Amino acid sequence: MTDSTSYLFFTGKGGVGKTSLACATAVELADSGKTVLLVSTDPASNLKDVLESPVDENINSINGINNLFAININPEHAAEEYRNRVTQPLEGIATKDEINKIREDLSGACTTEIASFDEFSRFVSSESEGEKFDVIIFDTAPTGHTLRLLELPAAWSSFTDENPDGASCLGPTSALKSGKERYHLVVDRLRDRDLTTFYIVSRAEKASLKEASRTSKELKELGMSNQRLYINGVFKAIEKQDSLAIKIEEMANEQLETIPDNLKLLPSKSYPLLPYNVLGISKLRSLFNNELQKSISEKTISKLEVSTQVLKGIDQLVDELCMNQQNGLIMTMGKGGVGKTIAASAIAVLLAKKGFEVMLTTTDPAAHIQDFIEQLGEMPPTLTVERIDPKAETQRYMEKILLHKGKGQSEEAKKLIQEDLKSPCTEEVAVFHAFSKAISMAKRKFVVMDTAPTGHTLLLLDTAGSYHRDIMRNNLNAERLKTPYMYLQDPKLAKIILVSLPETTPMREAASLQDDLKRAGIKPYAWLINQSLSMLSGISDPLLRSRANAEIDVIHTIKSIHAERTYGIPFIAEKKLLPALLHEYYETSK
């Protein structure tokens, strides 16, 4: 590692261990004599906890290591400043509603990312104390969408000022602190193999590896090909008599054997799942030091006491969902990889087993629902399964927008509109139009939907006057009409289940999603904690016992701070996940 490039970027799905590996790398480089700056742009950053040292929006030295420094760029603050810079010149000119619409246009993930990139680009271009450091490490890298958008010449022309609806992600370029030249310099440096390395972090899990594969491909297409693959948290059983531990190890090995082809070409390293949380300099050093790792693990395991966590099961959640109700919309929401699909499938099957008419549908591009249902062999007769194809819906929506907004524009301007339409928000808006049809069915039966739009998308639809207002304005019976947006706001008709893992990062991401929904007037019904080891009794493997113990504080935080109702799904180490989860409920309901 001591021969590292000047700029190191760590990227990957939430909860894979990007921050731990970025911090451990920073410590190792600082120990080797280099002066290192660690920069985080993660909205749920826990750099302060991991480094056990004050970290804020200023460059601070880290306790215990003279030549290690860190800064946390708060993306929410950066995005808010960015929105203020856009709307300030319009005060007194535009109406309050128009300004609110522009602010909501600029409330998506893309704007937050661009605002963060605007901040940290100054470190890569050496214009913000960057020259003081031998190595700058970024915990969380920008996506390909952001980088492509900023590369388009049209993004820097007067087009954005003249056509504010043309680029909802970028907005007027006058709001950017950085200039066109600086961005070009930064992108050139990111492409330079001698200057920049991208570390793609994954777990030994299908969803995580798939995301890593997509990220690698996207970066390579942008000419950023100096990549490394880190597979983190690989489980190795300690107690060979623990059947659960042996099964988990076997399943992890199987996943690693089916690693995507493009990832096989990257130099890679794997790191074990540890029985302790990697907090503090000593534990960070242990990530790359086997002897230290062994010593800390033995101390941690020797003083371990585990209590079993009691959570209501998914069967009790279903009992409450259908209490005094024959129909309604149930949506599972959460970040990728937390188990939304298995949760939606289980809820739908349990409702159907009670004799209710149920439609199970998904807006997930990966569409794993069919895989889960096929595991059952026989489907309950009252259950139907459908799929909204996001690709087809998005294509239809993009063509409609391009026709409308691209009329009379130059080719360069059209390119900008096209790139802007590649943002995640576009797919959500397009899918919303499609699942409006599914929502109408929920007046007659239960509709269980895997994946739903974020609060930002819902607000965008409402404040932009697009769908909701058009219907209200053009319908003679508007006072009796309930639009899909209003339907989602009605807790009697729509119930949203937030799915999380019993780990800190997924919990923080789900809490952020909950805040986003509440901003749109939508209050989640319950939290469902998936893959909980602490719900199981009889675990003898010390490593699993340690992980189960670590869940207790997270679950307590969810129950006491975030959720009105909390349910759990125990950890299941089976290939046929849905039948295994439903087995005990089937047995008791016969």
Side-chain angles (χ1 to χ4, degrees):
M1 182 62 75
T2 49
D3 60 345
S4 75
T5 54
S6 301
Y7 307 109
L8 311 180
F9 286 86
F10 284 77
T11 183
K13 281 173 78 75
V16 294
K18 290 189 299 289
T19 300
S20 299
L21 285 164
C23 290
T25 302
V27 168
E28 186 185 50
L29 288 167
D31 284 345
S32 75
K34 292 185 184 290
T35 304
V36 181
L37 174 66
L38 183 59
V39 182
S40 175
T41 58
D42 186 341
S45 174
N46 59 339
L47 271 191
K48 184 175 65 174
D49 303 331
V50 176
L51 294 166
E52 290 184 342
S53 193
V55 181
D56 55 32
E57 291 182 42
N58 301 301
I59 295 174
N60 292 315
S61 59
I62 298 305
N63 297 338
I65 305 183
N66 294 331
N67 49 334
L68 177 57
F69 302 81
I71 180 171
N72 187 45
I73 296 170
N74 186 316
E76 299 302 334
H77 290 178
E80 183 58 23
E81 282 181 14
Y82 180 78
R83 284 189 285 273
N84 290 339
R85 290 197 298 273
V86 172
T87 54
Q88 218 162 9
L90 300 172
E91 285 175 15
I93 302 167
T95 66
K96 192 176 178 182
D97 282 350
E98 286 168 338
I99 289 174
N100 285 344
K101 178 201 177 305
I102 291 167
R103 289 186 70 82
E104 192 52 50
D105 280 349
L106 296 169
S107 292
C110 309
T111 301
T112 304
E113 194 177 90
I114 283 170
S116 300
F117 189 48
D118 191 30
E119 293 290 323
F120 80 59
S121 69
R122 293 177 297 131
F123 293 103
V124 180
S125 62
S126 304
E127 289 178 42
S128 182
E129 303 186 69
E131 70 282 350
K132 289 184 183 178
F133 304 98
D134 299 317
V135 181
I136 302 180
I137 298 174
F138 297 97
D139 172 23
T140 306
T143 65
H145 166 65
T146 297
L147 295 168
R148 284 194 308 268
L149 188 63
L150 290 167
E151 275 203 299
L152 284 170
W156 301 96
S157 72
S158 60
F159 171 77
T160 46
D161 296 312
E162 293 161 12
N163 299 269
D165 289 335
S168 62
C169 288
L170 192 56
T173 52
S174 59
L176 297 170
K177 291 179 186 174
S178 309
K180 183 178 180 180
E181 291 72 25
R182 181 189 285 162
Y183 278 112
H184 283 173
L185 172 67
V186 169
V187 171
D188 285 346
R189 288 187 174 178
L190 296 186
R191 286 183 173 138
D192 189 333
R193 296 181 66 88
D194 295 328
L195 285 176
T196 303
T197 309
F198 288 88
Y199 289 89
I200 298 168
V201 185
S202 177
R203 291 280 182 114
E205 297 161 358
K206 191 174 181 180
S208 185
L209 287 164
K210 188 178 175 182
E211 175 76 6
S213 170
R214 186 191 62 76
T215 300
S216 173
K217 183 170 176 273
E218 211 172 47
L219 289 170
K220 276 195 173 167
E221 284 170 356
L222 288 159
M224 296 162 196
S225 55
N226 189 17
Q227 302 174 11
R228 305 278 185 278
L229 175 66
Y230 277 178
I231 298 175
N232 193 31
V234 178
F235 180 76
K236 297 287 179 196
I238 297 172
E239 172 57 72
K240 301 300 179 186
Q241 303 307 309
D242 188 328
S243 58
L244 176 66
I246 298 301
K247 267 188 181 178
I248 293 172
E249 182 177 340
E250 285 171 357
M251 287 175 73
N253 291 338
E254 276 182 36
Q255 297 282 16
L256 289 175
E257 282 172 18
T258 58
I259 191 167
D261 289 343
N262 65 325
L263 295 182
K264 288 177 185 173
L265 303 172
L266 300 181
S268 66
K269 283 186 180 178
S270 63
Y271 297 92
L273 186 69
L274 299 169
Y276 53 88
N277 288 323
V278 184
L279 303 173
I281 302 301
S282 175
K283 286 178 180 173
L284 284 167
R285 285 188 176 120
S286 77
L287 272 184
F288 302 146
N289 182 324
N290 290 338
E291 287 306 308
L292 188 54
Q293 210 174 89
K294 191 177 175 187
S295 164
I296 297 172
S297 293
E298 284 171 356
K299 283 180 194 166
T300 304
I301 286 166
S302 66
K303 53 184 181 185
L304 192 64
E305 288 180 26
V306 183
S307 57
T308 306
Q309 177 70 50
V310 178
L311 283 172
K312 289 182 181 179
I314 199 167
D315 58 327
Q316 288 166 286
L317 169 60
V318 168
D319 287 345
E320 289 183 28
L321 288 170
C322 63
M323 196 181 291
N324 306 319
Q325 272 192 256
Q326 303 286 316
N327 65 292
L329 178 69
I330 299 161
M331 291 190 290
T332 56
M333 293 181 70
K335 294 288 180 180
V338 295
K340 296 185 297 292
T341 308
I342 183 70
S345 303
I347 290 167
V349 172
L350 285 169
L351 281 169
K353 293 292 279 185
K354 288 175 178 288
F356 293 107
E357 286 286 328
V358 183
M359 184 178 87
L360 173 62
T361 183
T362 182
T363 60
D364 184 353
H368 295 304
I369 270 189
Q370 201 59 48
D371 298 341
F372 281 124
I373 295 300
E374 282 170 6
Q375 291 175 3
L376 292 176
E378 187 182 348
M379 201 165 77
T382 57
L383 177 66
T384 54
V385 182
E386 290 187 8
R387 181 187 170 217
I388 295 167
D389 185 344
K391 293 276 182 287
E393 296 298 337
T394 305
Q395 190 58 39
R396 199 173 295 131
Y397 179 78
M398 283 172 71
E399 284 166 6
K400 182 181 167 186
I401 296 296
L402 270 170
L403 191 68
H404 173 62
K405 289 185 179 175
K407 199 173 182 180
Q409 299 291 347
S410 67
E411 283 308 305
E412 199 53 60
K414 286 178 183 174
K415 271 187 191 174
L416 178 61
I417 297 169
Q418 275 183 308
E419 185 51 53
D420 190 54
L421 285 168
K422 287 179 184 173
S423 87
C425 308
T426 301
E427 188 167 286
E428 285 191 334
V429 171
V431 165
F432 183 80
H433 286 273
F435 86 50
S436 297
K437 298 167 194 167
I439 288 172
S440 65
M441 287 189 198
K443 295 167 191 171
R444 302 188 304 275
K445 59 170 80 170
F446 280 109
V447 175
V448 183
M449 190 173 293
D450 166 35
T451 307
T454 64
H456 161 68
T457 301
L458 295 167
L459 271 174
L460 190 62
L461 285 162
D462 197 44
T463 56
S466 70
Y467 190 76
H468 179 82
R469 288 191 189 162
D470 283 350
I471 290 182
M472 297 304 284
R473 189 168 51 243
N474 297 323
N475 196 294
L476 296 174
N477 299 313
E479 71 281 355
R480 291 189 305 169
L481 185 74
K482 214 176 187 74
T483 67
Y485 181 78
M486 292 161 71
Y487 198 93
L488 294 177
Q489 290 175 312
D490 186 340
K492 288 182 181 174
L493 298 171
K495 291 186 171 61
I496 290 170
I497 315 297
L498 281 181
V499 185
S500 177
L501 298 175
E503 297 169 15
T504 304
T505 301
M507 173 189 73
R508 284 178 174 167
E509 289 179 338
S512 172
L513 178 57
Q514 178 164 267
D515 291 340
D516 197 20
L517 287 166
K518 283 180 178 175
R519 203 161 53 93
I522 297 165
K523 187 180 178 184
Y525 177 78
W527 281 52
L528 181 61
I529 300 168
N530 189 28
Q531 293 183 24
S532 173
L533 284 163
S534 60
M535 286 178 72
L536 301 173
S537 56
I539 296 174
S540 59
D541 185 274
L543 183 46
L544 289 185
R545 284 167 63 84
S546 173
R547 301 307 298 184
N549 199 47
E551 292 179 6
I552 302 297
D553 283 347
V554 175
I555 293 171
H556 174 72
T557 303
I558 290 170
K559 288 171 80 171
S560 60
I561 295 174
H562 299 304
E564 277 190 20
R565 303 174 186 83
T566 313
Y567 303 86
I569 296 176
F571 193 101
I572 298 169
E574 296 286 347
K575 284 184 191 174
K576 291 191 173 182
L577 200 53
L578 186 58
L581 171 59
L582 296 173
H583 178 71
E584 60 183 286
Y585 308 137
Y586 279 3
E587 291 301 304
T588 53
S589 63
K590 279 179 182 175

